């Protein structure tokens, strides 16, 4: 059974007073839940948040399923999101994704056997000037090449 | 009062009217899916496009408030072209499985397609596959592929029932309606979502695949499922009654009705009915001619009065019959028999005052108010405890019971029958076939009554509104109404007018020739 930490609950309570309607607070709260739930939002965590915020479960579910930034499936310790939108694609982003998957031995979108990595292709992350790039959890790694990216990922703690 | 000009017609409307309502008021056709007069505006289907004078772009009529001197039209080629394209977009992922779809014949998509269809589909892409035949609770089935995301059902559960089960999940092509974690949609109003669904996405488990809608005839009536008395439409053909839907009545039920009320057709159909008059007791029943049974029963009642100094008869009434029937029975006892032993059988005393805040009431009798006011005006004040006392001390010789039309709402039926059996003779009038009555150990006449479908009359609902019930057809030829029965019992009439089986509405497709040409 998923539960937020004490700080997490305080965060949710604060967010709910920040906006005119509770509905507006769903996104920041859901992000917090995702963080505390190991990178993804499970149905139980959605039900928990809905109960905590005193809103219908379907409100939270609608938001969670609408945005790709909420992972509906479990992810590895490092969620690697490689940009494959125009600038990055032109600079080799797609090939880089394939290379990363191959070197780490993980299927795109799936969790690696050691549960360390999940690699997914995403649309523009707003760092076109430094293409190709990837985002690992909350951090950007820019001006990459395939080898560089794999090296960075291997060296993560 | 703003004056508006719609398709050249000038009309006056109330301030604050939406343009789509103004179009309807003017009697002009306007295409729409997501708009529903009983629900808040969503403006998602983009079909009610109109051209407003002085406005460079077309607007949706369902979300535009009329202003003084507004001039709008929806019969121009520009509008028709916009609706045609809007419709084509709706059909991109719609499976077009009309031949196997239960909604065919009353489908909004079919209707609009006849008017605005492009007929030559221009979509060569693969359709998105979604979930089919998803069970949403006890009464509703969901087919996501057919859904056009008008959000009527979602707005219904969020605004009318406020239960918030349904939502639209995912995004774009993959968006579909559903419930969180497939939780069942088991509120008492779930079937309204089936009614308002303009396509075959939500269908009724009870009615699915039982009849094609063009083989059904419909008629207006009053729901007898509880004391609210919603206005309903009954759908039937020669094979029986098939379903019940709500009809708009702003004073009582608005656009909706509850799920429990939709089951009332089941105890009207012949298989649930008492088909003929019977006489006897447990293990020994004889079928009798209805007039003969009534004459005998009447004779027994009158003999019980004649042979004694004090009343040895009693009458038990329920709130299930019409005011006219109840009046006839009460008058029979008061004036013909000079007896004031008239009792009100309250079937569920704990639930009587319950109300769910929307429509459904705990009092499952359509005419309790009518019966109570009748008893009050005749100053009949006998209590149920008195009847119990009299029956237990075997003071009652002949007991007449005007029993339930729907035995399902009488949880105390078996217990009450045991009590009634303490009378020497029982005259049991009921439209329903009740198995427990066949087990009665005292001499009993079973008289078949007409159901709400087969008689005229007045029902007084919980608000005190008098509502008129109209006869639609006869299903049980031998059945009588209580006033007919009482006329024979009292000796005023010798026979009852025999009904004829009238449910002979043939299954014919009356839409043939009326639909658009291809």
């Amino acid at each position: 059974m998923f539960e937020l930490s004490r700080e997490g609950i305080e965060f949710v309570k604060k967010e709910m007073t920040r906006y005119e309607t509770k509905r507006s607070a769903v996104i920041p709260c859901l992000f917090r839940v995702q963080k505390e739930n190991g990178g993804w939002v499970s149905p139980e965590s959605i039900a928990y948040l809905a109960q905590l915020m005193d809103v219908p479960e379907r409100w939270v579910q609608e938001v969670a399923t609408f945005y790709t930034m909420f992972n509906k499936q479990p992810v590895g310790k490092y969620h690697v999101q490689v940009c494959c939108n125009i600038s990055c694609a032109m600079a080799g982003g797609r090939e880089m994704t394939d290379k990363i998957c191959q070197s780490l031995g993980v299927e795109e979108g799936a969790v690696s056997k050691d549960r360390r990595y999940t690699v997914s292709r995403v649309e523009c992350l707003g760092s076109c000037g430094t293409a190709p790039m990837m985002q690992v959890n909350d951090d950007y790694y820019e001006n990459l090449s395939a080898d560089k990216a794999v090296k960075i990922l291997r060296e993560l703690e | 009062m703003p004056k508006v000009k719609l398709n050249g017609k000038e009309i006056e409307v109330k301030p604050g009217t939406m343009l789509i309502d103004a179009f309807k008021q003017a009697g002009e056709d306007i295409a729409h899916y997501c708009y529903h007069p009983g629900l808040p505006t969503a403006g998602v289907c983009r079909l009610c496009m109109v051209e407003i004078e002085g406005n460079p772009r077309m607007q949706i009529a369902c979300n535009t408030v009329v202003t003084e001197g507004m001039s709008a039209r929806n019969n121009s080629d520009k509008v028709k072209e916009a609706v045609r394209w809007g419709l084509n977009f709706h059909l991109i992922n719609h499976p077009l499985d009309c031949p196997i779809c239960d909604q065919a014949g009353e489908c909004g998509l079919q209707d609009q397609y006849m008017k605005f269809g492009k007929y030559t589909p221009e979509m060569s892409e693969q359709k998105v596959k979604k979930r089919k035949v998803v069970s949403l609770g006890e009464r509703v089935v969901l087919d996501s592929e057919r859904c056009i995301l008008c959000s009527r059902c979602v707005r219904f559960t969020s605004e009318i029932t406020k239960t918030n089960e349904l939502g639209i999940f995912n995004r774009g092509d993959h968006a579909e309606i559903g419930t969180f974690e497939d939780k069942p949609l088991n509120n008492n109003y779930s079937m309204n979502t089936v009614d308002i669904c303009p396509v075959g996405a939500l269908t009724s488990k009870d009615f699915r695949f039982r009849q094609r809608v063009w083989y059904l005839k419909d008629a207006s009536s009053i729901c007898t499922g509880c004391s609210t008395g919603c206005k309903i439409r009954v759908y039937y053909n020669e094979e029986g009654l098939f379903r019940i839907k709500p009809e708009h009545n702003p004073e009582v039920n608005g656009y909706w009705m509850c799920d429990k009320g939709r089951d009332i057709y089941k105890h009207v159909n012949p298989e649930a009915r008492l088909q003929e008059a019977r006489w006897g007791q447990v293990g020994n029943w004889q079928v009798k001619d209805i007039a003969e049974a009534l004459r005998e029963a009447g004779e027994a009642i009158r003999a019980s009065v004649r042979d004694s100094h004090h009343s040895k008869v009693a009458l038990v009434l329920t709130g299930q019959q019409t005011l006219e029937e109840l009046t006839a029975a009460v008058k029979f006892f008061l004036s013909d028999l000079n007896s004031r032993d008239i009792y009100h059988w309250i079937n569920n005393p704990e639930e009587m005052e319950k109300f769910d805040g929307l429509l459904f009431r705990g009092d499952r009798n359509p005419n309790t108010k009518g019966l109570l006011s009748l008893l009050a005006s005749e100053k009949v004040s006998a209590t149920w405890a008195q009847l119990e006392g009299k029956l237990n001390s075997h003071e009652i010789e002949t007991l007449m019971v005007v029993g339930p039309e729907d035995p399902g709402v009488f949880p105390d039926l078996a217990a009450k029958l045991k009590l009634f059996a303490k009378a020497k003779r029982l005259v049991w009038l009921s439209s329903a076939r009740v198995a427990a009555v066949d087990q009665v150990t005292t001499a009993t006449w079973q008289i078949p009554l007409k159901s709400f479908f087969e008689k005229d009359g007045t029902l007084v609902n919980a608000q005190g509104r008098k509502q008129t019930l109209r006869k639609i057809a006869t299903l049980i030829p031998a059945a009588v109404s209580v006033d007919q029965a009482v006329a024979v019992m009292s000796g005023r009439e010798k026979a009852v007018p025999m009904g004829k089986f009238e449910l002979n509405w043939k299954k014919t497709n009356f839409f043939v020739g009326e639909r658009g040409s291809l």
Side-chain angles (χ1 to χ4, degrees):
Chain A
M1 189 59 211
F2 170 79
E3 257 180 48
L4 276 177
S5 63
R6 204 151 50 82
E7 293 80 26
I9 292 173
E10 264 166 39
F11 174 82
V12 169
K13 296 253 152 85
K14 211 173 123 211
E15 285 298 306
M16 275 161 64
T17 57
R18 215 174 124 179
Y19 306 98
E20 271 179 35
T21 64
K22 281 185 193 171
R23 220 167 181 159
S24 311
V26 170
I27 291 182
C29 295
L30 207 49
F31 262 122
R32 181 78 189 209
V33 167
Q34 171 157 295
K35 207 161 199 172
E36 292 199 15
N37 194 37
W40 71 298
V41 285
S42 58
E44 297 87 64
S45 66
I46 288 175
Y48 168 79
L49 182 62
Q51 205 196 359
L52 184 66
M53 295 178 74
D54 192 23
V55 297
E57 286 158 341
R58 71 146 179 117
W59 283 16
V60 186
Q61 174 83 341
E62 279 174 339
V63 171
T65 55
F66 188 90
Y67 293 104
T68 51
M69 294 81 167
F70 295 116
N71 301 312
K72 271 72 71 179
Q73 298 296 327
V75 291
K77 187 180 174 195
Y78 300 107
H79 186 204
V80 184
Q81 303 178 68
V82 190
C83 174
C84 289
N85 208 299
I86 295 176
S87 306
C88 290
M90 284 167 70
R94 292 171 185 164
E95 294 78 11
M96 189 171 89
T97 321
D98 294 340
K99 189 76 189 292
I100 292 174
C101 288
Q102 217 177 7
S103 320
L104 298 178
V106 53
E107 241 178 85
E108 207 181 299
V111 186
S112 66
K113 275 193 191 111
D114 57 3
R115 309 208 67 79
R116 258 171 81 84
Y117 304 106
T118 296
V119 181
S120 44
R121 260 171 228 247
V122 296
E123 298 307 328
C124 189
L125 289 171
S127 192
C128 305
T130 54
M133 58 81 65
M134 66 179 178
Q135 183 186 349
V136 181
N137 292 347
D138 289 343
D139 300 320
Y140 274 15
Y141 294 85
E142 295 159 319
N143 293 319
L144 297 171
S145 68
D147 294 336
K148 231 164 143 186
V150 172
K151 189 163 174 276
I152 292 169
L153 290 171
R154 284 242 164 88
E155 282 168 6
L156 287 168
E157 301 178 5
Chain B
M1 297 275 271
K3 272 196 191 118
V4 287
K5 206 167 161 191
L6 307 172
N7 288 351
K9 261 190 212 174
E10 241 181 82
I11 60 159
E12 247 182 75
V13 294
K14 274 191 214 143
T17 310
M18 287 295 172
L19 202 45
I20 194 165
D21 294 315
F23 266 92
K24 292 191 157 193
Q25 195 185 321
E28 292 293 308
D29 245 11
I30 186 157
H32 63 86
Y33 292 129
C34 70
Y35 165 83
H36 189 284
L39 295 172
T41 304
V44 292
C45 79
R46 320 304 294 181
L47 232 56
C48 58
M49 287 288 193
V50 289
E51 259 187 296
I52 300 169
E53 213 167 87
N55 223 324
R57 305 179 69 175
M58 282 177 282
Q59 303 281 317
I60 49 169
C62 69
N63 209 10
T64 310
V65 181
V66 293
T67 51
E68 175 62 47
M70 189 183 252
S71 169
R73 55 173 58 252
N74 76 338
N75 55 3
S76 62
D77 287 344
K78 194 175 164 190
V79 171
K80 281 184 181 159
E81 193 61 15
V83 175
R84 183 164 295 132
W85 278 105
L87 186 62
N88 217 36
F89 275 117
H90 282 304
L91 289 169
I92 286 179
N93 283 315
H94 188 83
L96 291 176
D97 55 351
C98 310
I100 57 153
C101 176
D102 215 45
Q103 188 84 0
E106 53 180 4
C107 171
L109 216 46
Q110 281 183 331
D111 291 348
Q112 300 300 350
Y113 199 78
M114 289 297 174
K115 288 181 207 150
F116 299 106
K118 283 178 71 72
Y119 293 98
T120 349
E122 282 162 29
M123 265 293 292
S124 49
E125 317 294 319
Q126 283 277 317
K127 295 194 186 241
V128 177
K129 293 268 186 292
K130 289 183 194 169
R131 302 196 304 162
K132 292 184 92 77
V133 208
V134 184
S135 168
L136 283 188
E138 282 162 17
R139 291 169 181 267
V140 184
V141 180
L142 165 69
D143 185 316
S144 269
E145 286 185 350
R146 292 179 190 150
C147 177
I148 56 163
L149 298 170
C150 71
S151 81
R152 274 182 177 186
C153 55
V154 176
R155 281 174 282 151
F156 179 82
T157 55
S158 74
E159 301 297 327
I160 308 296
T161 61
K162 304 212 181 342
T163 45
N164 275 304
E165 289 103 337
L166 289 166
I168 296 176
F169 304 128
N170 298 321
R171 178 165 58 150
D173 261 5
H174 298 278
E176 57 175 323
I177 58 163
T179 55
F180 176 67
E181 287 291 286
D182 280 342
K183 276 188 186 168
L185 174 69
N186 277 351
N187 66 61
N188 191 22
Y189 296 88
S190 63
M191 288 280 287
N192 288 303
T193 60
V194 175
D195 294 341
I196 58 181
C197 182
V199 293
L202 295 170
T203 47
S204 152
K205 273 188 187 168
D206 187 42
F207 179 68
R208 245 161 101 81
F209 308 135
R210 289 187 58 213
Q211 285 292 324
R212 278 307 204 178
V213 292
W214 53 86
Y215 288 143
L216 291 169
K217 193 173 166 61
D218 54 328
S220 183
S221 189
I222 308 287
C223 178
T224 56
C226 81
S227 58
T228 301
C230 299
K231 193 175 182 194
I232 54 169
R233 264 205 116 64
V234 188
Y235 292 77
Y236 64 97
N237 66 22
E238 56 190 337
E239 288 165 25
L241 277 61
F242 284 93
R243 68 168 175 187
I244 282 166
K245 281 189 170 202
E247 211 175 275
H248 180 50
N249 182 354
E251 308 291 334
V252 179
N253 56 317
Y255 294 90
W256 323 114
M257 76 181 286
C258 74
D259 289 357
K260 294 214 167 90
R262 297 185 194 246
D263 288 334
I264 61 167
Y265 77 89
K266 288 176 184 163
H267 60 253
V268 176
N269 271 331
E271 55 269 22
R273 298 285 296 280
L274 184 57
Q275 306 264 0
E276 69 281 300
R278 310 164 100 212
W279 182 83
Q281 52 189 296
V282 58
N284 179 25
W285 290 100
Q286 287 175 23
V287 174
K288 287 228 160 195
D289 173 56
I290 177 74
E292 194 190 334
L294 285 171
R295 278 196 295 270
E296 283 177 14
E299 190 51 46
I301 293 174
R302 280 179 289 148
S304 298
V305 177
R306 210 165 33 230
D307 300 346
S308 65
H309 297 296
H310 64 282
S311 167
K312 286 190 168 177
V313 290
L315 171 65
V316 172
L317 294 173
T318 60
Q320 299 253 308
Q321 273 69 32
T322 65
L323 199 54
E324 289 77 359
E325 288 179 295
L326 295 171
T327 311
V330 168
K331 284 266 151 64
F332 173 50
F333 263 64
L334 289 179
S335 21
D336 290 285
L337 305 174
N338 209 8
S339 160
R340 300 190 77 79
D341 282 294
I342 301 168
Y343 303 91
H344 178 197
W345 176 3
I346 299 168
N347 45 345
N348 44 359
E350 307 85 45
E351 308 262 299
M352 280 303 261
E353 296 304 317
K354 282 192 186 157
F355 179 48
D356 70 354
L358 209 52
L359 291 172
F360 181 69
R361 284 173 211 269
D363 176 10
R364 307 289 304 272
N365 302 295
N367 200 18
T368 302
K369 266 269 164 79
L371 176 59
L372 289 176
S373 63
L374 173 67
L375 293 181
S377 70
E378 297 293 350
K379 300 202 175 51
V380 175
S381 56
T383 64
W384 191 258
Q386 285 172 341
L387 177 71
E388 276 181 358
K390 283 190 177 186
L391 281 166
N392 284 329
S393 60
H394 301 282
E395 263 180 67
I396 305 282
E397 231 172 53
T398 312
L399 177 68
M400 175 171 162
V401 181
V402 182
E405 186 170 313
D406 178 7
V409 300
F410 281 66
D412 57 347
L413 192 57
K416 287 287 182 335
L417 276 166
K418 263 191 197 133
L419 177 71
F420 298 154
K422 287 179 180 165
K424 218 158 144 198
R425 288 184 290 266
L426 177 63
V427 184
W428 172 265
L429 296 94
S430 173
S431 65
R433 169 115 204 207
V434 184
V437 177
D438 290 348
Q439 303 301 319
V440 162
T441 50
T442 190
T444 304
W445 286 272
Q446 293 189 36
I447 309 292
L449 286 185
K450 290 183 172 172
S451 66
F452 75 94
F453 191 72
E454 299 157 286
K455 64 191 175 193
D456 292 320
T458 309
L459 297 172
V460 184
N461 79 354
Q463 302 163 303
R465 278 177 71 83
K466 281 190 178 176
Q467 305 200 90
T468 313
L469 205 57
R470 288 262 168 259
K471 180 192 158 182
I472 300 167
T474 301
L475 281 98
I476 307 291
V480 289
S481 60
V482 178
D483 38 323
Q484 286 171 337
V486 164
V488 179
M489 281 188 196
S490 61
R492 281 195 298 278
E493 302 269 350
K494 288 278 171 277
V496 282
M498 267 304 251
K500 214 168 70 210
F501 182 78
E502 283 174 333
L503 204 62
N504 44 11
W505 194 80
K506 283 268 181 290
K507 280 166 72 167
T508 44
N509 187 349
F510 51 85
F511 287 119
V512 166
E514 283 183 21
R515 284 304 171 97
S517 53
L518 275 170

